[in-house]
Amino acid sequence: MAATVSYDDVEVGTELPAAAFPVTRATLVRYAGASGDFNPIHWNEKFAKEVGLPDVIAHGMFTMAEAIRVVTDWVGDPAAVVDYGVRFTKPVVVPNDDEGAVIEVSAKVAAKLDDEARQVRVDLTAVCDGQKVLGMARAVVALA
């Protein structure tokens, strides 16, 4: 696979298609099984509240992974992501109901970094319940 977006066709300020990612308790159980992270804050409401959280929260790495999907879907190749980092600013609280939570992600090209390597920096914004859940979310992406 290779990036399907051309460096020459991208301008600083280009907005990537936004996406919304639903998260339910069942999603968290599946992620725990896949990742091996069975910390009870991600599945046990009583425990989460005892340690001072408002409720069960999504895994930070899960939230980070959902957010980068906006970039990988846009570029067409997950391997085109050269670097990716975030700061976790607020947890994604996942209520025990049929709806769960929704992580809304938007992104835009913030800089063209290297004409020779054809790399851009993409800044992401991830929000849940009107609150930013990731800060300094940035990816370096190699384009075609």
Side-chain angles (χ1 to χ4, degrees):
M1 224 184 237
T4 58
V5 176
S6 171
Y7 180 84
D8 298 327
D9 294 339
V10 173
E11 302 287 333
V12 171
T14 298
E15 292 187 15
L16 283 60
F21 303 101
V23 186
T24 64
R25 296 279 178 96
T27 308
L28 299 182
V29 170
R30 286 192 299 275
Y31 184 82
S35 69
D37 181 353
F38 293 99
N39 187 320
I41 64 173
H42 303 305
W43 58 269
N44 184 317
E45 185 173 329
K46 181 179 180 282
F47 182 85
K49 289 181 176 182
E50 284 175 356
V51 298
L53 294 168
D55 206 333
V56 165
I57 63 170
H59 303 73
M61 289 291 141
F62 173 82
T63 303
M64 189 176 176
E66 290 293 77
I68 198 65
R69 286 176 56 189
V70 167
V71 177
T72 58
D73 288 352
W74 170 70
V75 75
D77 180 8
V81 178
V82 175
D83 188 39
Y84 176 46
V86 306
R87 289 196 177 136
F88 300 105
T89 56
K90 296 270 185 200
V92 173
V93 177
V94 182
N96 191 19
D97 60 21
D98 293 335
E99 296 179 23
V102 176
I103 303 167
E104 299 173 70
V105 182
S106 59
K108 68 179 176 179
V109 175
K112 284 188 144 184
L113 301 177
D114 186 337
D115 289 343
E116 190 173 319
R118 304 178 73 76
Q119 294 180 347
V120 298
R121 188 185 88 216
V122 176
D123 290 354
L124 298 95
T125 301
V127 176
C128 183
D129 283 333
Q131 296 197 332
K132 202 172 186 182
V133 295
L134 298 177
M136 300 292 290
R138 295 179 174 169
V140 174
V141 183
L143 301 180

